[in-house]
Amino acid sequence: MLWTTVSVVLAVLAALGNAAASVLQRRAAAVERPGPSGRRLSWLPGLLRRPVWLWGAATLVLSAVCQAGALATGPLAVVQPVMTTELLFTLVLGSVVFRQRPGGRAWAAFVAMVVGLAALLGLVRPSGGSASVPDDRWMVAAPLMAALVVALVVVAFRLPSAPRASVLGSATAVLFGATAALMKDAISRLADDGLVALLTAWQTYGVAVAGASGFLLLQLTLHAGTLVASQPALTLGDAFLSVVLGATLFDERLSLGWRVLPELVALALISVGSVHLARSPAVAGTSEKEIW
C-alpha cells in the first residue's frame, strides 16, 4: 500500500511536468510561423531556437524521472491512468500562461475527469504483476505496436487537419505507452542486477528510441491541429494501452466481471471530460471565438 501511494504521488508529479511542458511547447508552436509548403519539418529548427520550447523539453526530462520512479514502485496499469491528470493540470497552467479564465464547462469537465479516474482505478484495482517482461512477449508486442504506429502515421497524412491530429495523437499514445512499459522493464534490471545490467539491457535503448520517436511525433501532432482533436486520443489512448500492456506483459491483475459496466461508465466520464477540457481556451491556448 505504501509503495502504491508513493507511485501515485510520483505519477501525479510526472503529470504536472507533462502539463507544464505541453503548455510551454504549445505556446512556442502557436507563435512559430509554418515553413514553406511541402516541407513538413521546416518549423522544427525555429522551435529549437525558442527558449520557451527548450524549457518545455527540459521539463519533459524531469517528468520522465518522476515517471520512472512511479513505474519502479507501482503497477503500469496504475501509473499511466493517473497520468491522465496531465490534462487537469494543463487547465490550471494554461489559464495562467494563455490568460484565459476557465468557464463553467471546463470546471464541469474537470470534475468529470476526476470522478471518472477515481472510479476507474477503484473498480479495476490493478495489483500484483511482475517487475520484468520475458523477451518472448516483447518479440510479439513490440512489432505489433511498431506496425500500428506506422499504419496510423501513414493514414494520418492522408487526412485533413482535425482527424489528422486525432490519428497522430493515437500514434503518439502508442509510443508513450510502449515507452512506459519498456521503462518499467528496464528499471527492474537496475533493481535486480545493478547499473551494468541496466546499461546493457536492450530495453534501456528501446526507451530512448520509443521516447524520442514519441517526442517527435508529439510535435507533429501539435502542429497538425488543435488540442480538441489530438489531446483526448493522446491522453486516453496512453492510459488504455498501458492497462492492456500491464495485464498482458507484466501479468498485472485487473478486477473485471460485473465491474465491466461501471468501468465503461467511468471511462466514458474520462472521455467526455477530456474532450471538453481540450476545448477549453485555457488548455488549447486560443480565444473563445476560435473554440466555441
Side-chain angles (χ1 to χ4, degrees), residues 187-272:
I187 291 171
S188 71
R189 319 285 164 162
L190 176 63
D192 294 339
D193 302 309
L195 183 60
V196 173
L198 174 67
L199 295 177
T200 56
W202 69 265
Q203 289 88 345
T204 302
Y205 302 97
V207 170
V209 172
S213 299
F215 181 76
L216 177 59
L217 198 53
L218 176 62
Q219 308 313 309
L220 290 172
T221 301
L222 291 175
H223 276 76
T226 64
L227 288 184
V228 177
S230 62
Q231 193 65 44
L234 178 58
T235 302
L236 297 174
D238 184 5
F240 178 76
L241 177 62
S242 295
V243 170
V244 172
L245 292 178
T248 57
L249 295 181
F250 294 92
D251 294 322
E252 295 172 2
R253 295 185 296 274
L254 308 177
S255 299
L256 300 175
W258 65 268
R259 300 171 185 261
V260 169
L261 184 57
E263 286 165 359
L264 290 175
V265 173
L267 186 60
L269 274 176
I270 297 174
S271 302
V272 172

Side-chain angles (χ1 to χ4, degrees), residues 5 13 20 37 49 60 81 84 86 90 95 106 159 163-164 166 168 184 190 225 227 250 252 262 265 267 290:
T5 302
L13 291 175
S37 59
R49 293 192 295 268
L60 274 181
T84 60
E86 170 189 340
T90 303
S95 65
L159 299 173
R164 182 192 309 159
S166 181
L168 285 175
K184 182 174 179 62
L190 176 63
L227 288 184
F250 294 92
E252 295 172 2
V265 173
L267 186 60
E290 290 177 285

Side-chain angles (χ1 to χ4, degrees), residues 133 135-147 174 178 245 248-249:
V133 179
D135 284 346
D136 59 338
R137 294 188 186 181
W138 277 121
M139 290 177 65
V140 175
L144 285 177
M145 287 188 286
V174 174
L245 292 178
T248 57
L249 295 181

Side-chain angles (χ1 to χ4, degrees), residues 16-33 43-44 46-63 86 90 93-94 97-98 172 176 211-225 227 230-231 234 282-285:
L16 176 58
N18 280 347
S22 177
V23 169
L24 291 171
Q25 292 181 348
R26 186 67 183 176
R27 182 174 178 84
V31 300
E32 183 64 30
R33 295 179 180 177
W43 43 265
L44 188 55
L47 285 180
L48 294 174
R49 293 192 295 268
R50 296 194 60 80
V52 66
W53 188 90
L54 293 175
W55 276 111
T59 304
L60 274 181
V61 174
L62 294 176
S63 174
E86 170 189 340
T90 303
L93 297 176
V97 172
F98 298 119
T172 305
F176 282 178
S213 299
F215 181 76
L216 177 59
L217 198 53
L218 176 62
Q219 308 313 309
L220 290 172
T221 301
L222 291 175
H223 276 76
L227 288 184
S230 62
Q231 193 65 44
L234 178 58
V283 173

